[in-house]
Amino acid sequence: MKDNNDMPGHLARRFQQIAVAVFLAEVGDAGFDLTPVQYAALATIKANPGLDQVTLAGLIAYDRTTITGVVDRLVQKGLAERRASRRDRRARELEITDEGRRTLRKITPAVESAQRIMLRGLSAKESEDLMRLLHKAIAAGNELSRAPLHGVQA
């Protein structure tokens, strides 16, 4: 049996731990209370006005059953709102609020800083290689995930 540090799953989990810790520290130091998943959801709602929660979950590769809690917290924080669908009265569409737009604009430097910190210790070329390889490995295993990434549904 290999040592844990030779297993991609263990290393991916460790990198995720580091990524979340760095994100929360940078965003917290900037005065914001937003998790990486909440940030991804809010940015995706802004980019896709009127999308529903199922589509949101697919676009950020998040479990459909737990996306409701993420959206609930964004709504409670005044960053997003649910509206009745213009196409289907039973459905709810998600919209970013003005406060959500302001938050995304103000939080961007902290998020960008977090991304740089996560890759510190790597050269520019190594960072590019890591990102390319992560994209490749994720694409190859996407459908194996409990929450696969899906494109925008028209």
Side-chain angles (χ1 to χ4, degrees), residues 22-23 26-27 30 39 104-120:
V22 167
F23 183 95
E26 290 298 298
V27 165
Y39 173 82
L104 281 178
R105 191 171 50 252
K106 291 178 181 178
I107 201 173
T108 296
V111 172
E112 290 172 350
S113 174
Q115 306 315 299
R116 286 189 300 275
I117 292 169
M118 287 174 213
L119 296 175
R120 76 179 177 194

Side-chain angles (χ1 to χ4, degrees), residues 38-51:
Q38 290 169 356
Y39 173 82
L42 189 61
T44 302
I45 292 167
K46 180 182 183 234
N48 301 278
L51 80 165

Side-chain angles (χ1 to χ4, degrees), residues 76-91:
Q76 289 166 358
K77 292 176 181 187
L79 304 176
E81 57 187 24
R82 291 180 179 99
R83 294 184 181 164
S85 171
R86 293 174 281 256
R87 290 164 280 174
D88 179 354
R89 285 184 284 168
R90 297 166 296 171

Side-chain angles (χ1 to χ4, degrees), residues 1-2 21 25 29 41-42 45 48 55-57 60 64-65 84 87 91 102 106-107 111 115 134-135 138 143 148:
M1 180 173 190
K2 289 184 176 182
D29 287 350
L42 189 61
I45 292 167
N48 301 278
T55 303
L56 173 62
I60 65 170
R64 289 171 51 169
T65 59
R87 290 164 280 174
R102 277 190 295 278
K106 291 178 181 178
I107 201 173
V111 172
Q115 306 315 299
L134 284 171
H135 282 289
I138 290 166
E143 293 307 318

Side-chain angles (χ1 to χ4, degrees), residues 49-131:
L51 80 165
D52 60 71
Q53 288 184 182
V54 171
T55 303
L56 173 62
L59 290 173
I60 65 170
Y62 204 72
D63 186 74
R64 289 171 51 169
T65 59
T66 53
I67 194 70
T68 301
V70 173
V71 173
D72 286 347
R73 285 183 283 290
L74 292 175
V75 169
Q76 289 166 358
K77 292 176 181 187
L79 304 176
E81 57 187 24
R82 291 180 179 99
R83 294 184 181 164
S85 171
R86 293 174 281 256
R87 290 164 280 174
D88 179 354
R89 285 184 284 168
R90 297 166 296 171
R92 306 286 280 169
E93 295 178 344
L94 301 172
E95 298 286 342
I96 191 169
T97 63
D98 289 340
E99 182 61 25
R101 281 185 191 82
R102 277 190 295 278
T103 297
L104 281 178
R105 191 171 50 252
K106 291 178 181 178
I107 201 173
T108 296
V111 172
E112 290 172 350
S113 174
Q115 306 315 299
R116 286 189 300 275
I117 292 169
M118 287 174 213
L119 296 175
R120 76 179 177 194
L122 300 180
S123 69
K125 173 75 167 97
E126 289 169 331
S127 293
E128 288 175 20
D129 289 344
L130 175 62
M131 293 300 294

Side-chain angles (χ1 to χ4, degrees), residues 133-147:
L133 292 170
L134 284 171
H135 282 289
K136 185 176 182 177
I138 290 166
N142 186 51
E143 293 307 318
L144 302 174
S145 171
R146 195 180 64 164

